[in-house]
C-alpha cells in the first residue's frame, strides 16, 4: 500500500535455530531444535586474509580464523560461526562448496546440544597447535593440523566430504572407519 518492498531471505528461518550460551570455555552455540545427520546448520562467512596478513599473536578467544586454502584464512564474521567451538568428538563438520563454507551435522543433534566441529579438518599449517579443553571422552589433548588426526579419523571426515579441499588427497591412507567415530 505504501510502495515498500518485502525481501524474503530463503535461508532465514521463522525462529532462531541456535542460541548463544556459556560453557567451560566461554561462549558457545547451542541448537534450539533437532537436526538430522546431513542437515546444513550455518554458513561460515568472513573476509579472506593471506597467511602473511594474519596477526601472529592471535591466541585463545581472539583466534577466530579458519584456514580455507593453503595460503588463506577466513577471518571473523561477527556472526554465530565465530562462536562454534572445537571438539575432538564433534557433531558437525565444515563442507567446502561452490556456495561457500557450510557447517553440516555429522550425526543427529538434539535441542540443547552444543554445536562443535573439529578444527583439525581445515588445518594444513604444521606449526600451529592448541591445547584442547573440549572435555570429550575422545579428547586428543592437543589440536593440530589434519596430519595429526589418526588415519581412521581422517578417513571418517574424508568419506563425508568434511575436509578442506586442499587436504583431501594428501596422504590418503586406506583405513576402516573406527566403530562409533563421530557418535
Amino acid at each position: 500500500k505504501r510502495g515498500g518492498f518485502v525481501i524474503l531471505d530463503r535461508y532465514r528461518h521463522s525462529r532462531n535455530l541456535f542460541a548463544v550460551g556459556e560453557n567451560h570455555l566461554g561462549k558457545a552455540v547451542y541448537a534450539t531444535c533437532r537436526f538430522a545427520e546431513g542437515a546444513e546448520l550455518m554458513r561460515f562467512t568472513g573476509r579472506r586474509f593471506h597467511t602473511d596478513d594474519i596477526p601472529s599473536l592471535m591466541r585463545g578467544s581472539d583466534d577466530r580464523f579458519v584456514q580455507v586454502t593453503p595460503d588463506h584464512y577466513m577471518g571473523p564474521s561477527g556472526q554465530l560461526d565465530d562462536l562454534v567451538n572445537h571438539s575432538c568428538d564433534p557433531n558437525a563438520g565444515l563442507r567446502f562448496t561452490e556456495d561457500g563454507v557450510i557447517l553440516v551435522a555429522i550425526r543427529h543433534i538434539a535441542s540443547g546440544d552444543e554445536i562443535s566441529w573439529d578444527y583439525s579438518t581445515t588445518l594444513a599449517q604444521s606449526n600451529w597447535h592448541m591445547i584442547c579443553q573440549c572435555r570429550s571422552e575422545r579428547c586428543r589433548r592437543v589440536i593440530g593440523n589434519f596430519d595429526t588426526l589418526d588415519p581412521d579419523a581422517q578417513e571418517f571426515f574424508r568419506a563425508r566430504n568434511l575436509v578442506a579441499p586442499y587436504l583431501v588427497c594428501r596422504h590418503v591412507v586406506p583405513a576402516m572407519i573406527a566403530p562409533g567415530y563421530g557418535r
Side-chain angles (χ1 to χ4, degrees):
K1 210 172 187 180
R2 295 182 181 138
F5 289 97
V6 175
I7 299 172
L8 299 175
D9 184 342
R10 71 178 185 153
Y11 296 107
R12 182 165 293 171
H13 296 271
S14 60
R15 65 181 186 148
N16 290 333
L17 302 177
F18 305 101
V20 175
E22 298 283 329
N23 69 9
H24 64 284
L25 298 171
K27 293 197 183 301
V29 176
Y30 293 89
T32 61
C33 61
R34 296 181 315 202
F35 292 97
E37 179 178 335
E40 291 186 2
L41 304 176
M42 69 180 70
R43 186 176 310 274
F44 272 47
T45 60
R47 198 173 119 222
R48 286 191 180 204
F49 293 87
H50 190 274
T51 303
D52 297 337
D53 297 330
I54 302 297
S56 61
L57 298 177
M58 286 295 172
R59 296 287 181 264
S61 62
D62 292 332
D63 187 354
R64 303 277 186 216
F65 291 86
V66 176
Q67 191 169 8
V68 293
T69 75
D71 298 320
H72 292 89
Y73 284 75
M74 181 185 301
S77 67
Q79 304 295 319
L80 280 180
D81 56 314
D82 291 348
L83 303 177
V84 179
N85 291 316
H86 163 85
S87 176
C88 294
D89 189 16
N91 56 13
L94 290 184
R95 182 166 291 150
F96 289 71
T97 71
E98 290 179 8
D99 294 330
V101 181
I102 311 292
L103 189 67
V104 177
I106 60 174
R107 64 174 182 247
H108 172 80
I109 298 174
S111 180
D113 286 353
E114 180 182 354
I115 307 297
S116 62
W117 65 284
D118 191 327
Y119 292 175
S120 296
T121 59
T122 65
L123 291 168
Q125 188 177 338
S126 63
N127 63 347
W128 185 91
H129 70 279
M130 168 175 138
I131 302 302
C132 186
Q133 298 178 45
C134 75
R135 297 185 179 173
S136 79
E137 290 180 18
R138 304 176 83 85
C139 184
R140 300 185 302 269
R141 310 290 181 252
V142 176
I143 304 165
N145 66 18
F146 189 70
D147 291 337
T148 65
L149 290 175
D150 70 54
D152 290 340
Q154 289 180 19
E155 184 56 29
F156 174 87
F157 289 112
R158 280 190 182 109
R160 288 157 181 79
N161 191 24
L162 298 172
V163 177
Y166 49 90
L167 298 174
V168 172
C169 296
R170 291 174 35 156
H171 312 295
V172 174
V173 177
M176 290 183 60
I177 296 173
Y181 194 84
R183 292 185 185 220

